Amino acid sequence: MPLNLNAKWLVIPALLLASLGLTGCSELLFRQTCVGLAKDMRYCLAPLPHDFAPATDKPLTQPRIKSTTKPTTESTTKPAVMASQQTDSNTGVSSPQSFSQKVSIKVGKESHELLTQLELEGERMTLVGLAPLGQALFTLVYDGNTLSSEQSVLLGDNFKAEYLMAMMQLIYWPEQSIRAHLEGGHLVTGLCDTVGGNQSDTLVDTRVNTIPCRQIYSQDTLISKSALQTHVVQIRYQQNVGDALWQAHISLTMPQAKFELEIEPI
């Protein structure tokens, strides 16, 4: 059953696109720490974890359909294996970290690029957005409780840069932390299918579980017992063996919103 998405949050990606080329005087705003991902689903920003777990190397398992009867064994209802068992009890990064990224955003046929600087220190998460030519667009600061933003007044009050910060957490935060702050959704982690496309490759047109990924499903989808379960969010990690999570090329898609996000470390 397809999701009936709210127009209120569907307009957010379009606002991100329309505002990337704007600069000017800035203003300080206080933002909501929870963002809508779909109808009856939202993600609330989580505190900074002490460590960041690597992407999982286990095969992706579809979420199990909820049963109205009492399970006979634990294995019948156990979700996909988590790559990390971390919780928010140990928050704050152990040492300051800073990452520069090129971000590509696409909604439908429209696409734009921006540069971001992500800084993690103690319990503070700072995300700075720049236009491709270096003009400042916004600065978001989250201290684990409140979220403040300083952004160009030309972006307008409807510009919701906190969505980009939420996406960063969905990508990089430990699975257990995401599950604790995801409402109305179910997170699954594992290896996603890729399709061979090189003519010299024996795996042409063959699907192989090689790309670590995360998928978020609506709880309504699971309760409906539908055989066809469509994810609301999918995040794919392309990285070389031994690379840190921050070195991965990230692809995030939200099919119902026709929204795509690509992150390339620079």
Side-chain angles (χ1 to χ4, degrees), residues 62-100:
Q62 293 292 325
R64 297 184 182 277
I65 300 173
K66 290 188 176 180
S67 173
T68 56
T69 60
K70 185 177 181 180
T72 56
T73 63
E74 180 182 0
S75 61
T76 59
T77 58
K78 187 176 181 181
V81 178
M82 294 179 292
S84 170
Q85 297 293 332
Q86 295 168 328
T87 66
D88 292 337
S89 59
N90 191 13
T91 61
V93 293
S94 55
S95 60
Q97 303 178 56
S98 180
F99 308 95
S100 299

Side-chain angles (χ1 to χ4, degrees), residues 17 26 31 44 51 86-87 93 101 104 115 146 193 207 211 231 234 248:
L17 286 177
S26 62
R31 297 296 193 181
C44 297
D51 292 302
Q86 295 168 328
T87 66
V93 293
Q101 302 162 316
S104 301
L115 304 176
T146 60
D193 292 339
R207 292 188 176 275
I211 300 295
H231 57 263
Q234 183 186 75

Side-chain angles (χ1 to χ4, degrees), residues 23 46 51 55 67 90 161 171 191 207 222 241:
T23 59
D51 292 302
S67 173
N90 191 13
I171 291 169
L191 296 179
R207 292 188 176 275
L222 303 181
V241 176

Side-chain angles (χ1 to χ4, degrees), residues 55 101-104 113 171-172 211-213 235-240 243-252 261-266:
Q101 302 162 316
K102 182 175 74 172
V103 176
S104 301
E113 292 185 351
I171 291 169
Y172 297 115
I211 300 295
C213 74
I235 305 168
R236 299 164 70 92
Y237 304 82
Q238 300 183 41
Q239 58 192 130
N240 297 321
D243 281 354
L245 184 61
W246 304 100
Q247 296 174 290
H249 181 104
I250 306 297
S251 175
L252 181 150
L261 176 71
E262 299 280 341
I263 298 179
E264 181 180 346
I266 55 178

Side-chain angles (χ1 to χ4, degrees), residues 18-37:
S19 306
L20 291 184
L22 300 178
T23 59
C25 297
S26 62
E27 59 180 342
L28 179 64
L29 302 169
F30 289 93
R31 297 296 193 181
Q32 297 293 324
T33 58
C34 296
V35 300
L37 299 177

Side-chain angles (χ1 to χ4, degrees), residues 4 10 23 29 40 55 96 114 132-133 139 166-167 182 235 252 256-257:
N4 181 17
L10 271 176
T23 59
L29 302 169
D40 300 325
L114 71 155
L133 296 180
T139 299
M167 297 298 174
L182 179 65
I235 305 168
L252 181 150
Q256 289 88 350

